[in-house]
Amino acid sequence: MLPTSLSLSKKSTNANLVEGVCRSFGSLRLATLLIVIYAAVIAAATVWESEFGSPAVRFAVYETPGFFALNILLAFNVFMAAAVRFPWRRSQTGFVVTHVGILVLMLGAWFSLRFGVETQLAVYEGRSAHRAYSDSLNLELSIAADSNQTEETVISIPFPCGPLSWSDYDRRLPKIPFGLASLPRGVRYDEEGVRLEVLDYRIDLEDGQSSRAQVRLTVDGNAEEFWLTGPAESPPRKDQVVSVKGKNRLVRLSMPYSYVDLGFDVHLREFRRRLEPGGGKPTLYASAIDVVDRSQPGKLILCDAFVALNSPLEIVDPLSGVSWRIFQSSFSGPWRPGSKVFDALVADGSRDQLFLSRFSVNSDPGRPLKYFGGALLVFGVALTYYFRVREKKDE
């Protein structure tokens, strides 16, 4: 009987140990500690955002593995807080629903951060566009044979370089723990005799839209170093492309913005704006657009629809099935006869002025989860209040 007693005692000890660990992970003390840390990080990020801008804080805080780990630990604490109380009593229904709502809300936020897309689409009046560009850069390799450079193999490599010069991270901005963010320094591509290394990255202070990457491009053993200028236009200018010759082939490198090829064309019929009386500043502006299905040319998805500042359109991509929301973002112009832009784009005299309308085009796959999680959270709080009132009446 003694070995059996020892075995049962050992199992009981292990079970108590597991239960103790689970209760520790689901404890209110750990929840309080994590919430305090989370609040401190958010508060610091808010201060840094006012000083360095949203892109810097997103890159240095919200997209780092450390912040992701903090969210995972908080989610695990919420889950264990409910799990250790199983089986639940009827009066704990609100408590459980509230915790499930928090988990669903956090899952939706993660989906938005991981799979959400935020892009910009620029369209001139009377023209159409289907490429929506993001603010992230790519390193684009074009590999072609010397004898026939019209047939190229294009390779796009994501380049999450961040919004600042790499030398600024430690020298000018010691407050932000940029060390937690991984910089894409070193080898970015190495296949079939083509090797691309990134050595440094700088932002031109005189022009915030201009950047340079120091790269080493090796083709069939022939290595050269360059300062690559970007973001490259489409097609890139000569000063935005570097090239290296190998054995019977030429490899060119540029640094364009990444883009999403939409399954529909946005045709800008007309841009309208309302100016402030006397001041001349625009107080309201909107765009009249047609949305054309690219899988079936000529088929209209929307006809003469209006996109205003606070009145977006929602369109399902006929090719990918992705749901996109189109917002009016900004505009440029007007250009009038005699300007280079107007004379190049308006040749038939159909207009006396020309505008460029910019749209924000985004996809947020986490939105339904966030809405559902928020609803569960409210419902759970209401249930908790209901059962507490009921318990007091029963007393």
Side-chain angles (χ1 to χ4, degrees):
M1 294 296 292
L2 186 59
T4 303
S5 299
L6 289 174
S7 177
L8 291 174
S9 177
K10 188 176 181 179
K11 288 182 179 179
S12 177
T13 303
N14 291 338
N16 290 336
L17 180 62
V18 171
E19 184 180 357
V21 171
C22 290
R23 288 191 177 278
S24 297
F25 274 108
S27 67
L28 181 61
R29 183 178 298 177
L30 179 59
T32 304
L33 176 62
L34 291 175
I35 290 172
V36 168
I37 295 174
Y38 205 93
V41 171
I42 297 296
T46 302
V47 173
W48 292 333
E49 186 172 4
S50 64
E51 189 172 352
F52 305 122
S54 299
V57 172
R58 186 171 64 248
F59 177 76
V61 179
Y62 300 130
E63 295 179 355
T64 59
F67 190 73
F68 179 72
L70 180 60
N71 279 271
I72 290 295
L73 190 56
L74 186 59
F76 188 64
N77 172 259
V78 171
F79 172 77
M80 293 306 300
V84 295
R85 289 165 172 80
F86 184 82
W88 303 298
R89 300 188 304 273
R90 186 180 179 185
S91 60
Q92 293 177 313
T93 304
F95 172 84
V96 174
V97 171
T98 300
H99 282 65
V100 171
I102 294 172
L103 291 174
V104 173
L105 194 61
M106 294 180 73
L107 182 63
W110 179 79
F111 263 89
S112 297
L113 181 64
R114 179 66 179 83
F115 301 107
V117 179
E118 188 78 34
T119 59
Q120 293 286 323
L121 181 72
V123 192
Y124 286 98
E125 283 183 300
R127 300 274 173 147
S128 301
H130 58 82
R131 281 188 177 181
Y133 290 84
S134 70
D135 58 358
S136 60
L137 293 171
N138 282 343
L139 294 170
E140 192 167 275
L141 289 166
S142 299
I143 305 173
D146 284 343
S147 58
N148 186 13
Q149 294 184 20
T150 58
E151 296 182 6
E152 295 183 330
T153 301
V154 179
I155 301 167
S156 290
I157 306 159
F159 185 47
C161 51
L164 304 166
S165 299
W166 289 353
S167 60
D168 290 340
Y169 293 162
D170 297 322
R171 180 169 56 86
R172 292 179 58 231
L173 306 171
K175 298 178 185 177
I176 301 182
F178 279 103
L180 296 175
S182 55
L183 298 176
R185 184 183 281 115
V187 178
R188 303 299 299 170
Y189 183 84
D190 190 4
E191 291 184 19
E192 299 180 351
V194 178
R195 180 184 175 92
L196 174 63
E197 301 169 78
V198 179
L199 308 177
D200 197 5
Y201 177 78
R202 297 179 185 175
I203 298 288
D204 189 344
L205 296 178
E206 296 181 358
D207 181 5
Q209 301 301 314
S210 179
S211 57
R212 295 190 300 157
Q214 187 182 15
V215 299
R216 182 185 295 121
L217 181 58
T218 306
V219 182
D220 301 327
N222 182 22
E224 296 188 38
E225 286 189 14
F226 307 91
W227 277 100
L228 181 65
T229 302
E233 298 174 1
S234 180
R237 303 191 309 263
K238 289 184 178 180
D239 63 329
Q240 296 175 328
V241 181
V242 297
S243 59
V244 175
K245 276 192 174 184
K247 297 177 181 178
N248 300 319
R249 59 178 173 172
L250 178 70
V251 178
R252 297 185 297 171
L253 175 66
S254 59
M255 189 168 59
Y257 281 123
S258 58
Y259 65 87
V260 176
D261 209 347
L262 302 173
F264 52 85
D265 277 310
V266 175
H267 177 78
L268 180 58
R269 284 184 171 221
E270 183 184 8
F271 178 81
R272 299 177 185 177
R273 62 173 180 167
R274 183 186 301 165
L275 299 179
E276 183 182 62
K281 293 182 178 180
T283 57
L284 180 67
Y285 47 92
S287 300
I289 64 171
D290 295 332
V291 181
V292 184
D293 189 343
R294 292 181 59 215
S295 63
Q296 302 181 46
K299 180 183 178 181
L300 286 173
I301 299 174
L302 291 174
C303 180
D304 201 15
F306 272 87
V307 184
L309 282 173
N310 298 314
S311 181
L313 293 176
E314 188 148 354
I315 301 169
V316 177
D317 192 320
L319 294 179
S320 65
V322 175
S323 179
W324 296 97
R325 300 185 84 188
I326 300 180
F327 297 80
Q328 181 70 60
S329 175
S330 61
F331 69 95
S332 294
W335 293 278
R336 292 185 171 84
S339 68
K340 290 182 179 180
V341 174
F342 185 94
D343 293 343
L345 298 178
V346 183
D348 57 1
S350 58
R351 302 176 184 274
D352 57 1
Q353 61 181 9
L354 179 70
F355 285 93
L356 171 72
S357 186
R358 293 185 179 88
F359 305 97
S360 291
V361 183
N362 68 58
S363 171
D364 185 1
R367 188 185 300 116
L369 285 173
K370 288 185 286 188
Y371 288 162
F372 182 56
L376 284 177
L377 196 59
V378 173
F379 183 57
V381 171
L383 281 177
T384 301
Y385 177 75
Y386 167 76
F387 280 112
R388 285 188 178 180
V389 170
R390 186 174 178 177
E391 285 177 359
K392 287 184 178 180
K393 287 183 177 180
D394 292 341
E395 291 176 359

